[in-house]
Amino acid sequence: MFAPHSWPEWLAASQKIEGPNQPLKLSQTFREKWQTRRGTIELHWTVTESNRPSTWTCKADTDFIGPIVIRYTFADEKGHTRYTRELTNPDRPSEPTDDQLLRMDEEARIGLGNIKKQVEWRFAARRVSPYPC
């Protein structure tokens, strides 16, 4: 199960999550405010797959690009968890332009940097604190 409330901490476009702040199960819903070049967009997500501990997927229908699907997969690698986040637009009316792909790559780099900062901060907080989190 997965809780999307952390998205604004590391995704540049994600501004706010509204909904249960807990791991979300199949058919549960939440709202997200995205900031794009065109302005603020509100997405209404529905969890379409929740197979603990390996996968979690949600889908938002939009009128500007068709459905947006985000799928996370989780794998145990030598005692550590590797996760993959895949965002797709299965009915996208046209291929993304080179400029759009460059912006997506840059947003992904920023997101990875933000995740790294969050993990390092949490690790450092646990090492300093005499009490486990």
Side-chain angles (χ1 to χ4, degrees), residues 4-31:
H5 277 266
S6 68
W7 291 356
E9 295 175 12
W10 54 278
L11 290 171
S14 185
Q15 301 298 301
K16 183 177 182 182
I17 301 290
E18 296 175 353
N21 188 7
Q22 62 190 32
L24 300 180
K25 298 176 184 175
L26 187 64
S27 300
Q28 285 189 287
T29 62
F30 63 99
R31 291 183 307 278

Side-chain angles (χ1 to χ4, degrees), residues 60-76:
D61 291 311
T62 71
D63 57 2
F64 60 93
I65 200 166
I68 299 171
V69 178
I70 297 176
R71 185 168 198 255
Y72 288 88
T73 56
F74 307 91
D76 183 352

Side-chain angles (χ1 to χ4, degrees), residues 4 7 24-32 34 42-50 56-62 65-72 85-91:
W7 291 356
L24 300 180
K25 298 176 184 175
L26 187 64
S27 300
Q28 285 189 287
T29 62
F30 63 99
R31 291 183 307 278
E32 178 184 23
W34 258 10
E42 186 169 300
L43 299 171
H44 298 266
W45 295 96
T46 301
V47 178
T48 59
E49 177 184 31
S50 183
W56 187 89
T57 305
C58 62
K59 177 182 171 188
D61 291 311
T62 71
I65 200 166
I68 299 171
V69 178
I70 297 176
R71 185 168 198 255
Y72 288 88
R85 180 180 193 266
E86 178 183 15
L87 185 146
T88 58
N89 305 111
D91 295 339

